Amino acid sequence: MEVIAWLLTGFIGYLCGSLPTGYIAGRLKGLDLRKVGSGNIGATNAIRNLGAVTGILVLLIDVIKGLIPCILFPELIMKLFSDRYIPQSEYLSLTLGVAAILGHNFSCWLGFKGGKGVATTAGVVGGLALIPFIICFFSWLLTLLISRYVSVASIVAALVLPLATVIWPNDLTNRFGLLFWIFLILGIMVIWKHVSNIKKLMNGTEPRIFDKKSTNKMKEES
């Protein structure tokens, strides 16, 4: 029964995260985000090609895909099984969150391809550890305002994430406990998904946000 509980937990988390929000939004407007701009189905590419309102809606839903499973589903799962077959709700939240991120990054609806997971990771972190989330958010925002590169801001936030856990540990673990290692892995995953952006930054072709010339150039290239 315990194995079934874990499998169900992972499946629910993955299914929630796998919803390709940006792709669906693009299709509703007659556009395939995978074939325009950066080719990513995330909020940044959605804002550039579908408009600010649609892009922000994509962003919010992608965050919710990670947040809701972490804060609502553990209790529901615990009600389905006897207490002796279910671990603590905190561990269920961790499993649901990681599975949701994997679902977003490797969506079964898109041939196991997907976004870069920044927004969904933010939702998961917000659901698991509020203070580290706030630290990462302001790190992301400050970097974005200074550099005007969404990719750089996301990479900085990914680097800050495990450090924020050390500075302000969660009740679930000590400073270098399970949550630290989970957040370290999530941060590495975000950076890994930004390898193409890092290459563009190095050769000077990465577009800046709020830069019409960069946006127009991306649209022309697509």
Side-chain angles (χ1 to χ4, degrees):
M1 287 293 290
E2 186 174 353
V3 174
I4 295 175
W6 280 115
L7 289 175
L8 179 63
T9 301
F11 176 75
I12 291 174
Y14 177 87
L15 200 61
C16 289
S18 68
L19 179 69
T21 315
Y23 174 78
I24 294 172
R27 282 304 192 186
L28 290 175
K29 288 197 170 188
L31 196 65
D32 188 343
L33 280 184
R34 299 174 300 176
K35 298 179 180 179
V36 297
S38 65
N40 189 263
I41 63 169
T44 302
N45 201 34
I47 289 173
R48 288 180 175 138
N49 292 280
L50 303 178
V53 174
T54 301
I56 291 173
L57 183 60
V58 169
L59 172 65
L60 291 176
I61 295 176
D62 282 348
V63 170
I64 290 171
K65 290 192 311 186
L67 179 63
I68 294 300
C70 288
I71 62 176
L72 292 185
F73 291 170
E75 186 175 348
L76 295 176
I77 293 173
M78 292 179 73
K79 289 180 179 179
L80 292 176
F81 297 89
S82 172
D83 290 342
R84 61 177 177 171
Y85 295 122
I86 290 294
Q88 296 178 5
S89 62
E90 290 87 351
Y91 294 104
L92 291 177
S93 294
L94 280 171
T95 304
L96 286 161
V98 172
I101 295 169
L102 292 175
H104 177 83
N105 291 352
F106 309 100
S107 174
C108 57
W109 310 111
L110 299 177
F112 294 98
K113 296 180 180 180
K116 297 179 180 179
V118 176
T120 304
T121 299
V124 171
V125 174
L128 295 174
L130 182 59
I131 300 301
F133 166 79
I134 293 173
I135 294 173
C136 288
F137 173 75
F138 281 104
S139 300
W140 178 89
L141 183 60
L142 181 61
T143 305
L144 179 64
L145 293 175
I146 294 173
S147 70
R148 290 192 293 130
Y149 286 115
V150 176
S151 57
V152 173
S154 299
I155 291 169
V156 168
L159 292 171
V160 169
L161 178 57
L163 298 177
T165 311
V166 174
I167 295 171
W168 202 291
N170 186 272
D171 291 339
L172 176 63
T173 62
N174 56 37
R175 292 184 186 277
F176 293 98
L178 179 60
L179 196 67
F180 167 80
W181 294 107
I182 292 293
F183 281 178
L184 178 63
I185 293 171
L186 294 182
I188 292 172
M189 189 183 303
V190 168
I191 296 172
W192 172 63
K193 290 293 256 180
H194 281 82
V195 168
S196 61
N197 301 90
I198 294 172
K199 292 178 180 178
K200 290 179 181 178
L201 286 165
M202 293 176 68
N203 60 34
T205 59
E206 177 75 348
R208 295 177 186 266
I209 197 167
F210 310 130
D211 187 339
K212 292 184 179 180
K213 291 183 179 179
S214 296
T215 302
N216 292 335
K217 185 177 179 181
M218 287 186 68
K219 289 182 177 180
E220 290 171 2
E221 291 176 349
S222 64

